[in-house]
Amino acid sequence: MKRQIIDTIERYDKIIIHRHVRPDPDAYGSQIGLKELISLNYPNKKVLATGKHEHTLDFLARPDSVLDEDFKDALIIVTDTANTERIDDERYKLGSYLIKIDHHPNDDAYGDLLWVDTNASSVSELICELFAEAKDYKNWKMDATVARLLYAGIVGDTGRFMFHSTTEQTMKFAGQLISYGFDRTELFNGMYEVESNLLQLKGYIYANFEMDDNGVGHMKLTRKLLKEYNVSDSEASLLVSVLADVKGMKCWVFFIEDTDTIRVRLRSKGPIINTVAKKYGGGGHPLAAGASVQTWEEADLVIEDLKKL
């Protein structure tokens, strides 16, 4: 499979790489890391990363401005995106051939060529695996720019190597990446330093979350509350994992009210919760998933479904 992907990359002069909406470090790490990796090894190819920029990831990278005509006869690669509904930039349909590289459950098997490995900690780890194959197969090289992006993706999706998805191979690749000498302190500052208003909201969450006797927790962040703390919905999403520190917490859900929907962010220390996400039109990993609901009454139904687990 990896050699098929490498051979396909070699056949195309134009390559456009997509990822999911509302990107996180692994979305940028895998998407833009792959873009930089291909550009490094094939400088005559036109390689672009598309999608709406997430300002909380300014420290990491920025996507490109991509024109409609760029998609003509282009290879499309979509990273870290389980289903077509979550692909950022619907123009992926305009390309000539589509490759899916992902680590979520393959419920939507889209694309002409698919590489899906649910055992991988992150898609950034899969790009490391692709590079290892290409290094032997086609003498690919890597530099500090690529390594920094992929390392950020791995760190982000493993929760700084604390999540169960972290494997021996994950640590092996992480060790190889840091050998390229990028500034890890600067990277971690960008990933984890937050403004004081976000810290104050974090304090509010610790003071006001609810957890039942069975270890099911929830937190509702309304638009009124976010406005009070001057925090955007994307910034609030950065706090979803804070309840992992609560002793006795087995699984929890954050509700973050957007302009036209309520985002549902589910996390777990054991119970499989992506089944709940799928019930509400979402999906994700067994222990980290998401969906959307339209009303607070529907949000209460999500809480009840979690309690049934």
Side-chain angles (χ1 to χ4, degrees), residues 12-16 46 69-75:
Y12 282 84
D13 294 325
K14 286 193 298 181
I15 301 168
I16 300 175
K46 185 174 186 178
E69 52 261 36
D70 291 324
F71 286 85
K72 182 176 173 55
D73 301 322
L75 169 64

Side-chain angles (χ1 to χ4, degrees), residues 136-163:
D136 291 337
Y137 182 43
K138 295 291 182 177
N139 200 33
W140 279 21
K141 58 187 176 181
M142 185 184 290
D143 63 11
T145 298
V146 177
R148 177 180 179 272
L149 286 159
L150 297 180
Y151 187 79
I154 291 173
V155 169
D157 253 28
T158 60
R160 287 181 265 190
F161 307 107
M162 292 190 294
F163 296 164

Side-chain angles (χ1 to χ4, degrees), residues 101-135:
I101 305 177
D102 193 28
H103 71 138
H104 299 91
N106 195 26
D107 296 327
D108 184 357
Y110 65 87
D112 301 297
L113 181 61
L114 291 75
W115 181 26
V116 178
D117 184 355
T118 57
N119 294 316
S121 71
S122 55
V123 180
S124 294
E125 180 178 319
L126 291 179
I127 303 306
C128 289
E129 195 174 327
L130 182 70
F131 167 71
E133 184 69 30
K135 183 179 180 182

Side-chain angles (χ1 to χ4, degrees), residues 9-65:
I9 287 171
E10 287 203 329
R11 287 200 303 269
Y12 282 84
D13 294 325
K14 286 193 298 181
I15 301 168
I16 300 175
I17 308 176
H18 295 242
R19 39 76 184 162
H20 60 75
V21 295
R22 301 191 183 102
D24 56 12
D26 188 35
Y28 268 27
S30 60
Q31 178 202 29
I32 304 179
L34 179 59
K35 172 208 161 179
E36 297 293 346
L37 183 62
I38 296 172
S39 297
L40 179 65
N41 289 282
Y42 301 96
N44 293 325
K45 293 184 184 295
K46 185 174 186 178
V47 190
L48 301 168
T50 188
K52 182 179 178 182
H53 178 55
E54 171 54 56
H55 75 90
T56 60
L57 298 175
D58 283 344
F59 70 93
L60 192 55
R62 296 183 69 93
D64 300 301
S65 177

Side-chain angles (χ1 to χ4, degrees), residues 218-233:
H218 72 270
M219 186 70 222
K220 295 179 179 179
L221 299 177
T222 64
R223 284 194 61 75
K224 180 181 178 182
L225 184 68
L226 296 181
K227 186 176 181 180
E228 180 182 337
Y229 283 90
N230 193 28
V231 171
S232 69
D233 56 324

